[in-house]
Amino acid sequence: MLSPLLERLIEDLQVLPGVGRKSAQRMALQLLEKRRADAVKLSETLAAAVEKMGRCEGCRTLSETPLCPVCESPRRDKSSICVVETPAEMLAVEQGTDYRGGYFVLLGRLSPLDGIGPEQLGLDLLEKRLAAGECQELILATNPTVEGEATAQFIAQMAQPHQVATSRIAYGVPVGGDLDFVDGGTLSHAFSSRQQLAN
Amino acid sequence: MLSPLLERLIEDLQVLPGVGRKSAQRMALQLLEKRRADAVKLSETLAAAVEKMGRCEGCRTLSETPLCPVCESPRRDKSSICVVETPAEMLAVEQGTDYRGGYFVLLGRLSPLDGIGPEQLGLDLLEKRLAAGECQELILATNPTVEGEATAQFIAQMAQPHQVATSRIAYGVPVGGDLDFVDGGTLSHAFSSRQQLAN
């Protein structure tokens, strides 16, 4: 027997990824018991974010301004573009590597059965950026899935006439991983992509 | 390089218990990428809950109405009161047991060093309910900590003049637990509280 509003808050908190009934309950009670000021702030920020966040006109990532901070920054190297599937993956590259060029976020991957073609991925926008001539290197960092590979292949072909150096990031055994625990697909990929050692 | 509003949302989401930077990032992106309608709903519910949730006048749990659903229900057994420390613990009793009486939520435990005395725990309100004569059984379900025990002891003494049957819930080895993994304090408690078997 819960107060209806508390029940609704617990329900609504469960839209958060990885949050089930039990965690939602703990969150709701903690917010209301101990952190009301923070709860108000969170509610306001969330409303503002949903209202103001749109797409960056340069790279299609989430942004509240027409151009995102990366596209706008004069310190980013405009001569390379890294293509990723989602804003989350853009963040992963940004936080995990020392890459300091530009990005292009597809917001999906080619999947004709689901009606996702080149237009849905904004590839006309990407082609315009390639045609503008500033970009000299295109790094394809789509996921190593069937659709991700197909998307990378498609973009590579699209880039050919524009004479940019196109590369795909390496897929293989994770650093620090144990061969014993790596799945067969990854291992066979790592074998077929083996690199000659200088000697 | 994150858009400032996204950065703020990620910061603010970290007030949720058990949510660190990485989960907050995943939550923010998922809400903005895929679940904007749900995000708006969550923001509104959160604001409404903070604004409207007060204390139940009967048992001090969180409630948006003067009396919470438990205190208001004619189907609850008004002759017993279960005393718990927090609304979360009231919920735990409510969901884990078939107890269908009333509650009293202390919102803390006696702790003179922190300035928490009987008034802060609303014990005058509890005494009024006992004096009203409707209650015949008082179940003390405070936590088995030093302060929790002291609080239970204090309330038991307070209840004495009102002639209600006062009990403390049992503490011992958890059901399904393994004696090997139970800490010494619990085990010695379980020994000293052993119950005679009928034969």
Side-chain angles (χ1 to χ4, degrees), chain A residues 1-10 12-19 21-23 25-33 35-55 60-65 68-70 73 75-76 87-92 94-95 107, chain B residues 1-10 12-19 21-23 25-33 35-55 60-65 68-70 73 75-76 87-92 94-95 107:
Chain A
M1 273 201 164
L2 276 179
S3 141
L5 192 53
L6 184 57
E7 181 64 45
R8 213 167 77 212
L9 180 57
I10 293 172
D12 287 359
L13 279 167
Q14 289 176 60
V15 306
L16 298 173
V19 175
R21 169 90 202 174
K22 196 91 188 178
S23 318
Q25 201 168 292
R26 210 155 54 92
M27 286 173 174
L29 289 169
Q30 173 135 335
L31 285 174
L32 291 172
E33 282 294 321
R35 320 196 66 161
R36 292 212 171 198
D38 289 333
V40 172
K41 238 174 76 188
L42 173 57
S43 147
E44 287 168 357
T45 308
L46 194 52
V50 171
E51 194 197 316
K52 292 189 193 143
M53 280 282 182
R55 297 284 167 206
R60 309 220 309 161
T61 193
L62 284 166
S63 175
E64 72 213 77
T65 43
C68 73
V70 172
S73 168
R75 282 189 295 179
R76 303 292 298 217
E89 282 156 21
M90 168 176 164
L91 261 181
E94 191 69 5
Q95 292 170 347
L107 301 174
Chain B
M1 273 204 165
L2 277 179
S3 140
L5 192 53
L6 185 56
E7 181 64 45
R8 214 168 76 211
L9 181 57
I10 293 173
D12 286 359
L13 278 167
Q14 288 176 61
V15 306
L16 298 172
V19 173
R21 170 90 200 174
K22 195 91 190 178
S23 318
Q25 201 168 291
R26 209 154 55 90
M27 286 174 175
L29 289 169
Q30 173 136 335
L31 285 174
L32 291 172
E33 281 294 321
R35 318 196 68 161
R36 292 215 169 196
D38 290 331
V40 172
K41 238 174 74 186
L42 172 57
S43 146
E44 288 169 355
T45 308
L46 193 52
V50 172
E51 194 198 317
K52 293 191 192 142
M53 280 283 182
R55 297 286 168 204
R60 310 221 306 161
T61 193
L62 284 166
S63 174
E64 71 213 80
T65 42
C68 73
V70 170
S73 168
R75 282 190 294 179
R76 305 290 299 217
E89 282 157 21
M90 168 176 164
L91 261 179
E94 192 67 8
Q95 291 169 347
L107 302 174

